[in-house]
Amino acid sequence: MEDITSVGIRNGSSRMGSFRLGLGVDGTKDDTVIELGSIDTHILLLSGEDERETKLQPLTYNSLSPRQMKSLSALCDAILPSVHNFVHTSDESVTKFYQTSASMAGTPQRIRDMIDERLKHPMTWLMKFALWLLSTWFGTLILCGMACLSTKFPFIHTYPQLSTLKRQEILRSWSLSYIPHFRMLFRTIKLLTLLIFFTQVDESEDNFSWKAIGYCGPDPEFKAQLKNHFLHGTSKEEIEDKEDEDAEEMIGPLYKGLVHLNYPRDITVDTLRRLGFSVSGIRRKHKAVPNLSSPSMVIQCDAVVVGSGSGGGVIAGVLAKAGYKVLVLEKGGYSARNNLSLLEGPTMDQMYLNGGMVASDDMGVLILSGSTVGGGSAINWSASIKTPQHVCKEWCEKHGLELFESELYREALDAVCEKMEVQSEIADEGFNNAILRRGCEEMGYPVSNIPRNSPSDHYCGWCCLGCKDGRKKSTSETWLVDLVKSGNGAILPGCEAIKVLHKKKEGRDRKVACGVAFEFEHKGSRDICVVESKVTIVACGALCTPELLKRSGLRNENIGRHLHLHPVAMAWGYFPDAGVASEVWPEAYKKSYEGGIMTAMSTVVAEFEQSGYGAVIQTPALHPGMFSIVTPWTSGIDIRDRMRKFPRTAHIFALARDQGSGIVESPHQISYQLANADEESLKKGIEKVLRILAAAGAEEIGTHHNKGRTLYVKQVSYREFEKFVKEESSRPLRDLSTPLCSAHQMGSSRMGCNSKQSVVNQTGETWEVEGLYVADTSVFPTALGVNPMVTVQAIAYCTAQSVIEVLRRKRSK
């Protein structure tokens, strides 16, 4: 087929999968984008432009009225007003940073667009109602009280009419109010304003605040790599002329196995058939809308896997390598190495579930979950810790699951660690981890190296935004590569499963799974296809799997229950870089956002040898957006002063193995309440973290409580220090006054030994439907207590062995 290069116009900033021409022929700015790719058998397999970009973007309809927008702008400008009473400097970037308000940066309009297009939280209606109330005098009186009264006409002012100082005073009162809905409103406005302000980028993919706060943006090495990549040719012919290894470096190792269904149907069908799949089309009347009974295409395979993360990726790779035809459906897109941006905001849109905008119903826990080819393994923090022995023992003895003390499971742990090239050496430790290690050593707390699925010299703090060189061994660099190289599999990105298909068979007690119906965007509308399979594996994560199972007609009462989140609470310490470099520790060149994200861990309050339900102490990856939303806000100037300390502010967190649990109806409806015991574990952890930061040499320390208290460690007495630590670590964590976060979700379709207490048996098969397996963190019997990647991969590896036996029997019939 003839090579066709697509050329198009795109608004906004360029993606890393395209090359933007800077000037037109007449010298004016030209936004023409030349896409990398062509339409033939290779283009379906190349990543091309980002999968999310190829979808028809929803029309922007202004769900907020002008009055609501006026209130929103007033709130945003109260969070980030134009500040003039700062310590003046000759640095123009700093001056601009302080003097630019949120509305001057266009933040309220971006928030409106987010509300229109992506915000699906169940309490969004309440925020909209509050915005309307604040545009009225009576509503402002209800929400703001005496602060809106004046001795001058009209005596009662609406919120937008109030002075900036008054509006900030009201926000502070909301943040500490005894009424939960006020605290919820404050948290929502603060989160949206700060996240968007510090992550939005212009056409040159820059944010005006970054220079002022000491942030370099995307990894400089990566930017240089991209520049070299684009300047030295990326056409299809040049890619084909290269060796496979060089091609993988340019476009990722999965390019031969990716099938994008938004291309012409005949090309899609031809590609799937070339990959060995039987495909048939359903003839429908002209302009008939595809539906479950009349899909546009039917694909046949041995196994269909919904999800490509640490569960789905493993089981897909194992089955394909064993000789079975496997089709992987992934809701997210594929970001090849050179199609990454390493920009925080765009990456959250592209690679995180719902753009990173997921939270519990009461906004008590902010939740991050991957939604891309490779799932969470593509954007996680590299920690590769085997299932702790006390957890294996508990799951075996208390939950009757002999699997976890079996030889098979031990083999699975070794197999997945070998595949991911897990090792514990560190060539150079990053800022946060160096502080954690030194503080623990000074305090006499235990501290150890964290095993990682990346090499010892992988000094990269951007891996939460995708791995620039593939040296972090996510499933898209390991198990899915096995699937592609086997010639037995294909990956369909941008496809969302809508129902598991099953039927009643004569002589069977249970229904039998027979495939999956899924939908995707095609020519600007939704299309529906069906996969017919011998076995079906659901692995779309603890937040999405329960919804799919329920939508498919399963009625087990445990589906969606027993959700564990590994709640996280953090504290921070500021380490100035002023003075003589040789006297500065950690080294002056080190920045908080650089280096291996997780290399050190302390179990000082983990209780591994007692109950097993304490907390581990580790470090996070925080780029400006995420840093800003967890940082306490007390005023417009205070948040800017704190952000100016961003590159030398270390964060350390306590992660609880939660005994409490929640319920997930869908990714947009999650109820979760922190249990008393888990709150105490986190408080103990925060107390230790504050001591670790001080012992490591922090000049200033604090927590994330809304009061925003700080302590200048070297200027206070021992008694004052002890009082501060005791007070800050004893504050309640369940009243929305301190942000809690979660990057691990598990247990919502848990494994067990009977259908009354669990959803699947220890082979991973559901109790209700034969041939339907679940292979993700939702099958965990309890919370794990450490990073779950190795554990979920080991469980999926074991489940794959069971599936192979089933397929072998079906093949022999």
Side-chain angles (χ1 to χ4, degrees):
M1 181 176 292
E2 189 175 336
D3 179 29
I4 303 172
T5 301
S6 69
V7 180
I9 305 297
R10 182 185 306 142
N11 294 324
S13 60
S14 65
R15 300 292 190 198
M16 291 303 168
S18 56
F19 178 72
R20 183 182 298 279
L21 301 181
L23 297 176
V25 292
D26 59 353
T28 59
K29 188 171 181 179
D30 186 354
D31 283 333
T32 301
V33 176
I34 299 180
E35 298 297 345
L36 310 176
S38 57
I39 302 181
D40 71 332
T41 54
H42 259 59
I43 188 156
L44 276 177
L45 311 175
L46 295 174
S47 61
E49 62 180 343
D50 187 283
E51 179 67 22
R52 290 185 185 270
E53 271 190 62
T54 63
K55 291 185 179 180
L56 181 68
Q57 295 299 318
L59 294 175
T60 300
Y61 57 95
N62 295 333
S63 64
L64 298 185
S65 68
R67 296 182 68 159
Q68 289 172 312
M69 278 301 299
K70 194 171 183 180
S71 297
L72 178 60
S73 295
L75 286 164
C76 292
D77 281 348
I79 296 287
L80 287 170
S82 178
V83 175
H84 297 273
N85 60 332
F86 60 94
V87 177
H88 288 272
T89 172
S90 58
D91 190 331
E92 292 183 5
S93 68
V94 175
T95 300
K96 184 178 180 181
F97 172 57
Y98 278 91
Q99 293 184 349
T100 302
S101 67
S103 60
M104 291 167 65
T107 302
Q109 289 72 30
R110 287 181 167 89
I111 293 176
R112 178 200 61 202
D113 293 343
M114 178 180 285
I115 293 171
D116 289 345
E117 298 171 8
R118 193 166 66 242
L119 206 61
K120 299 177 182 178
H121 192 275
M123 298 302 284
T124 302
W125 70 271
L126 189 59
M127 179 180 67
K128 292 180 180 179
F129 182 53
L131 292 176
W132 178 79
L133 282 176
L134 290 172
S135 71
T136 67
W137 66 264
F138 59 86
T140 303
L141 182 61
I142 293 170
L143 296 180
C144 305
M146 300 290 288
C148 67
L149 300 182
S150 170
T151 57
K152 298 180 181 179
F153 184 83
F155 307 117
I156 303 177
H157 296 283
T158 64
Y159 186 83
Q161 294 172 332
L162 298 172
S163 68
T164 300
L165 290 178
K166 282 282 188 182
R167 283 185 271 133
Q168 290 187 102
E169 178 187 327
I170 289 166
L171 284 175
R172 281 193 294 272
S173 71
W174 288 354
S175 74
L176 300 171
S177 172
Y178 65 89
I179 300 175
H181 290 88
F182 283 161
R183 298 195 299 273
M184 192 186 307
L185 179 59
F186 167 77
R187 174 167 291 184
T188 303
I189 295 299
K190 175 202 168 189
L191 184 154
L192 293 175
T193 303
L194 296 179
L195 181 64
I196 290 178
F197 184 87
F198 287 105
T199 62
Q200 64 191 52
V201 292
D202 57 24
E203 291 189 353
S204 62
E205 298 188 332
D206 192 18
N207 180 298
F208 76 92
S209 71
W210 288 350
K211 184 178 179 182
I213 67 175
Y215 181 60
C216 67
D219 186 349
E221 291 183 8
F222 179 67
K223 289 192 285 189
Q225 172 186 324
L226 280 177
K227 183 178 180 181
N228 180 69
H229 167 60
F230 289 131
L231 290 178
H232 291 84
T234 55
S235 70
K236 167 183 169 290
E237 289 81 1
E238 289 171 321
I239 292 174
E240 287 181 328
D241 288 342
K242 294 178 178 292
E243 296 293 332
D244 281 351
E245 188 174 327
D246 292 332
E248 286 182 11
E249 285 299 315
M250 296 175 70
I251 52 182
L254 303 182
Y255 71 99
K256 289 184 178 179
L258 289 164
V259 180
H260 297 277
L261 298 186
N262 52 353
Y263 288 107
R265 183 57 42 76
D266 58 337
I267 297 177
T268 301
V269 171
D270 179 62
T271 303
L272 286 167
R273 286 174 177 166
R274 290 188 187 200
L275 290 170
F277 294 94
S278 176
V279 185
S280 58
I282 303 295
R283 291 187 178 182
R284 298 189 309 273
K285 292 181 179 180
H286 184 58
K287 294 185 179 180
V289 178
N291 53 55
L292 285 177
S293 59
S294 181
S296 61
M297 185 167 56
V298 176
I299 311 167
Q300 294 179 330
C301 61
D302 292 316
V304 58
V305 181
V306 182
S308 61
S310 287
V314 171
I315 203 164
V318 172
L319 295 180
K321 201 169 181 180
Y324 298 99
K325 303 302 294 186
V326 181
L327 198 66
V328 178
L329 306 178
E330 171 55 55
K331 179 169 65 174
Y334 177 54
S335 294
R337 297 165 191 167
N338 283 326
N339 202 34
L340 296 169
S341 70
L342 299 191
L343 292 163
E344 186 180 13
T347 297
M348 291 182 74
D349 289 343
Q350 296 161 13
M351 300 180 74
Y352 285 76
L353 182 63
N354 202 37
M357 294 287 102
V358 181
S360 58
D361 288 351
D362 65 353
M363 292 294 293
V365 185
L366 309 177
I367 300 170
L368 292 177
S369 180
S371 183
T372 184
V373 173
S377 72
I379 45 87
N380 71 8
W381 301 348
S382 302
S384 304
I385 304 170
K386 288 186 176 182
T387 316
Q389 187 53 47
H390 67 272
V391 176
C392 287
K393 183 178 180 180
E394 178 184 333
W395 288 355
C396 179
E397 295 181 358
K398 292 187 178 180
H399 295 268
L401 298 169
E402 297 177 357
L403 168 69
F404 294 101
E405 289 202 329
S406 68
E407 186 62 31
L408 172 62
Y409 191 70
R410 286 188 286 271
E411 289 176 2
L413 289 171
D414 292 339
V416 300
C417 287
E418 181 180 359
K419 175 66 71 174
M420 290 191 291
E421 300 176 17
V422 174
Q423 60 83 44
S424 302
E425 298 301 315
I426 309 158
D428 187 16
E429 197 149 48
F431 181 78
N432 294 316
N433 288 276
I435 288 164
L436 171 56
R437 189 179 302 276
R438 177 159 176 169
C440 286
E441 290 171 350
E442 291 289 329
M443 293 300 299
Y445 299 158
V447 62
S448 59
N449 289 3
I450 295 180
R452 297 175 295 149
N453 62 337
S454 56
S456 60
D457 63 345
H458 194 56
Y459 193 82
C460 176
W462 283 267
C463 271
C464 57
L465 308 175
C467 187
K468 64 183 180 182
D469 51 23
R471 295 205 297 162
K472 182 180 79 170
K473 299 301 180 182
S474 67
T475 61
S476 56
E477 300 286 345
T478 52
W479 303 99
L480 292 176
V481 175
D482 286 352
L483 171 119
V484 172
K485 289 186 175 180
S486 72
N488 291 319
I491 304 162
L492 276 57
C495 297
E496 184 170 5
I498 54 178
K499 188 176 184 180
V500 174
L501 305 177
H502 46 78
K503 57 189 176 183
K504 184 71 175 176
K505 280 197 173 182
E506 191 175 346
R508 304 285 182 92
D509 294 333
R510 299 180 290 166
K511 290 183 179 180
V512 179
C514 54
V516 170
F518 67 92
E519 63 179 3
F520 60 97
E521 195 99 30
H522 186 253
K523 293 183 178 180
S525 61
R526 303 303 290 175
D527 204 345
I528 292 178
C529 289
V530 163
V531 181
E532 293 179 349
S533 61
K534 297 174 183 176
V535 293
T536 300
I537 299 99
V538 174
C540 38
L543 300 184
C544 296
T545 288
E547 182 183 29
L548 177 57
L549 295 180
K550 288 183 178 180
R551 202 162 54 220
S552 303
L554 277 71
R555 296 288 178 261
N556 187 303
E557 63 181 12
N558 294 288
I559 296 174
R561 296 184 178 274
H562 315 293
L563 174 71
H564 299 283
L565 295 180
H566 278 175
V568 161
M570 288 185 266
W572 58 270
Y574 175 54
F575 295 76
D577 58 4
V580 181
S582 61
E583 297 178 358
V584 174
W585 191 92
E587 294 89 338
Y589 71 87
K590 289 189 174 179
K591 308 298 182 185
S592 63
Y593 54 88
E594 297 175 337
I597 298 170
M598 282 187 168
T599 55
M601 177 177 78
S602 177
T603 56
V604 64
V605 291
E607 296 191 11
F608 281 2
E609 303 301 324
Q610 292 83 40
S611 70
Y613 282 91
V616 294
I617 294 175
Q618 298 175 330
T619 63
L622 296 177
H623 290 263
M626 295 305 296
F627 181 99
S628 68
I629 67 173
V630 296
T631 297
W633 180 95
T634 58
S635 70
I637 190 168
D638 179 70
I639 190 65
R640 283 187 164 92
D641 290 344
R642 289 176 186 263
M643 292 302 296
R644 290 270 289 133
K645 298 175 180 178
F646 162 67
R648 296 288 291 181
T649 298
H651 275 84
I652 300 175
F653 66 74
L655 177 151
R657 184 187 179 202
D658 45 332
Q659 299 181 59
S661 65
I663 298 173
V664 53
E665 298 292 341
S666 76
H668 318 299
Q669 192 171 350
I670 303 164
S671 61
Y672 183 87
Q673 287 294 326
L674 192 67
N676 292 338
D678 303 329
E679 183 179 25
E680 290 305 310
S681 293
L682 290 176
K683 288 179 179 180
K684 290 177 183 177
I686 290 298
E687 184 252 330
K688 298 297 184 186
V689 168
L690 289 170
R691 296 185 186 280
I692 288 167
L693 290 164
E699 179 179 281
E700 188 181 359
I701 61 173
T703 64
H704 290 155
H705 189 272
N706 286 345
K707 285 189 175 180
R709 290 184 63 204
T710 66
L711 183 76
Y712 290 88
V713 180
K714 298 173 183 177
Q715 299 176 15
V716 299
S717 66
Y718 173 77
R719 181 174 296 178
E720 290 172 312
F721 172 78
E722 288 296 319
K723 180 182 178 183
F724 179 85
V725 170
K726 182 178 180 180
E727 289 177 351
E728 290 303 304
S729 62
S730 62
R731 293 190 184 280
L733 297 174
R734 292 182 289 173
D735 61 357
L736 300 185
S737 60
T738 299
L740 298 179
C741 306
S742 168
H744 307 152
Q745 305 87 43
M746 66 215 88
S748 55
S749 300
R750 69 181 183 179
M751 184 180 288
C753 57
N754 63 68
S755 60
K756 291 183 178 180
Q757 297 177 325
S758 60
V759 178
V760 301
N761 61 29
Q762 60 183 333
T763 70
E765 189 177 32
T766 61
W767 295 108
E768 289 182 76
V769 179
E770 183 181 330
L772 172 59
Y773 295 80
V774 177
D776 55 32
T777 54
S778 68
V779 304
F780 287 15
T782 68
L784 180 66
V786 296
N787 309 72
M789 180 166 59
V790 170
T791 297
V792 67
Q793 290 202 14
I795 294 174
Y797 185 91
C798 294
T799 298
Q801 310 311 313
S802 300
V803 174
I804 287 173
E805 286 299 316
V806 171
L807 289 173
R808 187 177 292 134
R809 290 197 299 269
K810 287 178 180 290
R811 179 176 285 182
S812 63
K813 288 182 179 179

